[in-house]
Amino acid sequence: MTSAIMPTYARQNIGFESGEGAWLTATDGGRYLDAVSGISVCNLGHAHPAVHQAISRQSQKLLHTSNLYQIPLQEALAAKLASLAGMEMVFFGNSGAEANEAAIKLSRKWGADNGMTAPLIVTMTGGFHGRTMATLTATGNAKIKVGFAPLLPGFIHVPYNDIDALQQVLAAHEQVAAVMLEPVLGEGGVVVPDAGYLAAVRGLCDAHHCLMVVDEIQTGLCRTGRWFAYQHEQIIPDVVTLAKSLGNGVPIGACMAQARVSGVLQPGQHGSTFGGNPLAASAALAVLQTLQAENMPARVERLGQAMLAGLEARLAAQPLVRDIRGKGLMLGIELTMPCAGLVADARREHLLINVTAMNVIRLLPPFIITDEEAQMIVDIVSRVIERLAEAAP
């Protein structure tokens, strides 16, 4: 039967009907260990009791009223997020792209309010911020922009992890409203910047009177072993975006801002019909409460270090492996050749993995994996790489 779905995804020939913890059950009954987590979304695993109960309770009371009215659960969620992130106020949308759209609009409006006639936003090559027209333009990957011109004006790309290049751009342009970047490149290949890079970006933004916008959509809420990845360097950005794991599968995104910019967008200047509705807010509150109750940053850091050490012990001498890197449970194994075929190879061993940037195996397992499950991931990934190396010419 011909599918009625637009072919915007190269879907794998498998579907799932249920999940529990770190495991998914396929429509044919097979069980698969999930090392992707819906691309860093289901970080508490599948069918987590606290999230399930929150959604169930709220679905029996109230799903949606719109942001024309006060939403107590949304206000409680905003207060919790702002406290964890060191922010002042929060805008809610439905996705990472919406959160980044809000950040882009906020940055341009802040620039206009400060006398800029054509505010610029600096982003990074290799970065990914979404697929709407503004976030696509902000993304530093030329390949995914083909066919969508004309793109938006007002964006400048500089090399990631190159503080000198950023300094030169900021010195050459007087109307830079913001520098926008990921603290670890996700779609760009799990690229971890040098220690001190984020702090140096913060310093340049202060020196040149522009905003620092950090896209934590993939890294936020404990993925790197801190609540937010920028906290590894003890800095506070001006704007932080978040989505993916916030609802553990229920769509919700957030754009958070410090006090000096939190009031830039006024009524009528931005909005989202479904953003932060009672159902999504209830799920997100359950996620945050669970992460806190289980001291998840420490758990993620411990598991991530163990998996990284295991992968290095098994693969460090493998010529096919160029680099093994990561923070927390955001791990990347870069090979010397394209390796998309390893996704199917791992799936044959009932493990779900992801390949990004053509040659980087990206591992994003849920935080609730056991030590044994973490070792299973290390063992299977190592085996499929070793088999690829044996078959390589």
Side-chain angles (χ1 to χ4, degrees):
M1 186 177 75
T2 302
S3 174
I5 298 172
M6 286 189 182
T8 56
Y9 298 96
R11 297 180 192 269
Q12 299 174 43
N13 189 28
I14 190 170
F16 302 99
E17 62 181 12
S18 65
E20 184 178 4
W23 293 83
L24 284 166
T25 300
T27 52
D28 65 1
R31 294 181 75 241
Y32 295 80
L33 180 55
D34 185 2
V36 181
S37 303
I39 315 181
S40 196
V41 170
C42 299
N43 290 350
L44 293 178
H46 304 284
H48 191 280
V51 179
H52 161 69
Q53 290 163 15
I55 294 170
S56 179
R57 285 194 304 267
Q58 191 59 41
S59 70
Q60 298 174 60
K61 295 169 63 177
L62 185 66
L63 296 181
H64 179 77
T65 60
S66 93
N67 285 293
L68 294 173
Y69 311 104
Q70 294 179 358
I71 304 175
L73 284 168
Q74 183 187 112
E75 292 176 8
L77 176 60
K80 190 80 169 173
L81 277 176
S83 175
L84 290 168
M87 296 286 114
E88 181 73 17
M89 290 186 178
V90 186
F91 169 85
F92 290 105
N94 305 289
S95 66
E98 275 198 41
N100 282 337
E101 283 277 344
I104 289 167
K105 286 182 68 175
L106 187 154
S107 297
R108 285 191 169 187
K109 181 65 164 49
W110 180 85
D113 290 350
N114 283 272
M116 298 181 188
T117 56
L120 299 171
I121 297 175
V122 178
T123 61
M124 307 296 154
T125 54
F128 181 85
H129 300 292
R131 294 185 184 273
T132 63
M133 289 305 294
T135 57
L136 181 67
T137 308
T139 291
N141 180 344
K143 182 179 178 181
I144 68 171
K145 301 180 184 186
V146 174
F148 299 108
L151 300 174
L152 273 65
F155 290 87
I156 300 173
H157 300 299
V158 301
Y160 188 68
N161 197 31
D162 187 337
I163 202 67
D164 292 334
L166 179 60
Q167 165 70 63
Q168 291 171 15
V169 166
L170 292 178
H173 298 274
E174 295 181 355
Q175 297 202 32
V176 173
V179 175
M180 183 176 187
L181 76 167
E182 296 168 87
V184 177
L185 295 187
E187 301 302 316
V190 192
V191 179
V192 181
D194 296 336
Y197 173 67
L198 294 180
V201 173
R202 172 75 276 183
L204 284 179
C205 289
D206 290 339
H208 291 270
H209 308 291
C210 59
L211 304 180
M212 181 180 185
V213 179
V214 176
D215 178 341
E216 291 263 6
I217 287 160
Q218 194 166 136
T219 53
L221 298 186
C222 310
R223 175 54 68 181
T224 69
R226 299 290 187 275
W227 280 99
F228 297 93
Y230 60 80
Q231 292 170 340
H232 286 280
E233 297 198 6
Q234 294 82 49
I235 63 166
I236 302 291
D238 298 292
V239 180
V240 178
T241 57
L242 182 67
K244 287 192 178 289
S245 64
L246 181 55
N248 208 64
V250 176
I252 184 170
C255 176
M256 303 180 283
Q258 282 202 55
R260 73 187 184 106
V261 292
S262 61
V264 167
L265 295 174
Q266 291 294 307
Q269 295 181 332
H270 198 53
S272 175
T273 297
F274 297 104
N277 74 12
L279 184 69
S282 67
L285 278 168
V287 168
L288 296 184
Q289 289 160 1
T290 303
L291 292 174
Q292 280 192 305
E294 298 186 10
N295 191 20
M296 205 60 81
R299 175 184 176 82
V300 168
E301 187 165 50
R302 179 185 67 79
L303 280 169
Q305 288 173 349
M307 289 185 69
L308 196 62
L311 289 165
E312 288 172 342
R314 183 79 173 262
L315 297 170
Q318 173 58 252
L320 195 63
V321 175
R322 178 175 290 155
D323 191 23
I324 303 169
R325 54 184 180 254
K327 271 185 178 295
L329 287 175
M330 187 176 186
L331 304 169
I333 304 121
E334 182 179 352
L335 305 188
T336 59
M337 62 184 289
C339 59
L342 293 185
V343 172
D345 196 7
R347 197 171 66 242
R348 283 188 282 271
E349 295 209 35
H350 290 257
L351 175 68
L352 304 178
I353 65 172
N354 172 248
V355 169
T356 190
M358 297 185 68
N359 66 329
V360 179
I361 299 170
R362 176 173 52 172
L363 302 176
L364 300 164
F367 304 160
I368 47 79
I369 56 171
T370 64
D371 290 0
E372 292 76 18
E373 289 165 343
Q375 187 60 50
M376 285 178 64
I377 295 171
V378 169
D379 289 343
I380 296 172
V381 168
S382 298
R383 279 202 300 273
V384 299
I385 292 174
E386 288 162 357
R387 284 201 294 267
L388 179 66
E390 290 172 1

